[in-house]
Amino acid sequence: MAKNLAKDAGKDAIKTLGWWQAHRFLLLRRLCQLTIVALFMAGPTLGVLKGNLSSSNLFDVIPMSDPLITLQTLSAGHLPEMTALMGVAIVVIFYALISPRAFCGWVCPMNMVTDLAAFLRRKLNIKTSYRWSSQLRYWLIPVLLIGSAVSGSVLWAWIDPVAALHRGLVFGFGASWVLVGLVFVLDLLLVEHGWCGHLCPLGATYGVIGRKSLLRVAAVRREDCTKCMDCYYVCPEPDVLRQPLKEGDKRVLDQNCISCGRCIDVCAEKVFEFQNRITVKQID
């Protein structure tokens, strides 16, 4: 099969597998993301999920805390309450076990904004202007920790577009829409996958946390790959697909994978599947 155009990514899968099969993980992720936002909005009424993405409580029993915010709080010289520390432990254990950056692909509301920008960029054939190193996000983590230590405050809380979007969705938008708009413009016009793939320190934090997690995308039928490039076009971190499609390990072991399943959706040949990393290792 010849290389497809970016704007046509997924069309072969729709023809071969059907519309639902070619969009199932995308739709399930949107359902998950919007359900979480709705639960936060209904927090005072239903009492299921209270708080925000930085600090929340499930059923008034299970605390959950943002690991990056907590690290900055400690760097600033403040000791979080025991409940917050327990919340960090719960979040870290959960995401360390489940899959790489599952928070980014299945929870973070900013993913909907960046996915929209990527979709429009493909459909309109927009060529981005700049190329940045994907390591920038990892350098931002120590920068934020040092900045928090020097300022004595949680530095990222002032400029975090993810938290700004979440507050806007739950409580109504004010000036926070500016941050969200900047991320959208960055991804659409300036740098391909600029926010999630290059800048977001929270995503980098979850990448480190989930680098040994169990659930992995794997090219279980890579011999059927036709090099149509559809998976590369839709993947927010396309470099993670290079090794599994070559000789050797079939698993996507790169911690930058966001476990979104879009490569599975758009592949008409069913090259990719979600697999337990231990099981896939046995069939390599």
Side-chain angles (χ1 to χ4, degrees):
M1 183 184 291
K3 177 180 176 181
N4 291 338
L5 297 175
K7 66 183 181 66
D8 294 328
K11 286 188 175 181
D12 290 337
I14 295 174
K15 293 177 183 177
T16 304
L17 307 175
W19 192 88
W20 160 252
Q21 197 79 359
H23 294 86
R24 54 181 170 152
F25 286 112
L26 175 63
L27 296 176
L28 288 172
R29 286 193 301 119
R30 292 294 174 263
L31 177 62
C32 184
Q33 291 160 337
L34 293 173
T35 298
I36 290 171
V37 170
L39 287 175
F40 273 117
M41 293 176 68
T45 304
L46 298 180
V48 176
L49 192 58
K50 298 179 181 178
N52 53 51
L53 289 179
S54 298
S55 178
S56 57
N57 198 294
L58 183 63
F59 298 118
D60 285 327
V61 174
I62 303 174
M64 294 177 287
S65 303
D66 182 333
L68 183 57
I69 292 291
T70 303
L71 284 174
Q72 290 177 83
T73 301
L74 291 169
S75 296
H78 306 294
L79 182 63
E81 295 181 358
M82 184 56 65
T83 302
L85 294 176
M86 289 175 57
V88 169
I90 290 170
V91 167
V92 169
I93 292 171
F94 177 78
Y95 285 107
L97 289 175
I98 185 169
S99 62
R101 292 180 63 190
F103 174 87
C104 302
W106 293 79
V107 177
C108 181
M110 187 58 71
N111 174 255
M112 295 186 283
V113 175
T114 56
D115 272 4
L116 175 60
F119 173 80
L120 291 175
R121 190 180 61 249
R122 291 195 305 270
K123 294 301 180 182
L124 300 176
N125 195 30
I126 296 174
K127 303 300 181 183
T128 50
S129 303
Y130 303 98
R131 293 187 66 86
W132 292 347
S133 170
S134 61
Q135 297 303 309
L136 276 174
R137 51 190 160 185
Y138 292 101
W139 285 105
L140 277 176
I141 295 175
V143 168
L144 290 173
L145 296 181
I146 294 170
S148 295
V150 172
S151 66
S153 64
V154 180
L155 197 62
W156 187 238
W158 297 96
I159 53 175
D160 181 8
V162 176
L165 176 58
H166 183 261
R167 287 194 300 268
L169 292 172
V170 176
F171 302 110
F173 283 96
S176 60
W177 69 267
V178 175
L179 281 173
V180 179
L182 288 174
V183 169
F184 179 78
V185 171
L186 170 70
D187 272 40
L188 179 65
L189 301 177
L190 300 179
V191 182
E192 188 172 352
H193 309 300
W195 175 251
C196 296
H198 297 81
L199 286 181
C200 181
L202 182 57
T205 303
Y206 279 108
V208 173
I209 290 170
R211 68 187 185 278
K212 298 296 184 181
S213 51
L214 295 176
L215 190 64
R216 299 283 169 157
V217 172
V220 293
R221 284 179 286 274
R222 66 180 170 202
E223 64 278 2
D224 295 332
C225 176
T226 61
K227 297 180 172 57
C228 69
M229 296 297 291
D230 282 8
C231 58
Y232 281 86
Y233 293 141
V234 301
C235 180
E237 301 274 358
D239 285 343
V240 309
L241 298 176
R242 296 186 187 279
Q243 175 56 46
L245 290 174
K246 297 178 181 178
E247 295 296 324
D249 205 320
K250 295 180 178 181
R251 299 167 295 177
V252 177
L253 294 177
D254 195 311
Q255 66 189 37
N256 291 326
C257 174
I258 73 167
S259 305
C260 66
R262 282 299 284 151
C263 56
I264 303 174
D265 282 344
V266 302
C267 183
E269 287 72 32
K270 296 186 177 181
V271 169
F272 298 101
E273 290 182 2
F274 275 119
Q275 293 278 333
N276 182 300
R277 65 181 291 162
I278 300 172
T279 303
V280 177
K281 186 176 181 179
Q282 294 172 349
I283 67 174
D284 279 345

